[in-house]
Amino acid sequence: MGGPRYALGNVRDDLLRAGDDWDKFSRFWEGLPLDPYMGDGGTYRRRKHSLISYDAGDGTVRSAGRNGFHQTKEINRLNGGIVRHFEPVDQALLDTSVFRRMLAHFVARIEEATPDGGPVPPVRRINVHQHRIVASEDELGNPTPEGIHRDGVEHVVMMLVARQAVTGGVSTLYDNAESPVLTHTLGEPGDYIFLDDRTGLHSVSRVRVAPAAPEGYRDMFFLEFC
């Protein structure tokens, strides 16, 4: 059985040029609203979500509607089976140079990996997620409360935006038989895992607040290519 197809990298090394681009992008994680759908009763996750369409030909980004975010129970045993409605990602974030470069970069990589003669859709639908996982003395943060899982999409980019006063948050990739293949900590802003979601599964360990800190957080950005 083949293992997951993935790549590791850092978008700040790969894509960015101007020094202030990242600062403008990362500020959008302040003030994220609480996720009200946590099946474990947790209050540790803040998030926004949008579904967009992206035209690789001319770089046009459009909203693909606000019909909510749905995963089946088979994909998400904890929070699946219902349509979840979140506050949309700010348009100003979608207009940042960081975001536009990321879209073009990862769409190009998907197309490069497509077998010769395979269909390459000119317009792609992409779930855009912002997450902040908060850890405190009273509550651990759990980035993947559903456990080992896949997202039910084609490819996914899992990118660290910030880590502040936390330990843990270690990512593990598995083959489709749930045997671990890679354990990796996204430690620097911009670090990412780029995964063909059809070829493997993933999870992230719990996040604990660092000693002597009242609270910490782990900010993540996800692109799910449908």
Side-chain angles (χ1 to χ4, degrees), residues 49-51 63-69 83-88:
H49 163 262
S50 288
L51 176 63
S63 171
R66 296 190 59 182
N67 295 324
F69 178 60
V83 178
R84 291 175 281 167
H85 295 274
F86 300 104
E87 186 174 321

Side-chain angles (χ1 to χ4, degrees), residues 71-81 84 146 150:
Q71 293 175 306
T72 66
K73 275 288 187 181
E74 289 73 25
I75 292 293
N76 189 328
R77 294 175 293 234
L78 180 69
N79 297 319
R84 291 175 281 167
E146 63 271 46
R150 62 166 35 91

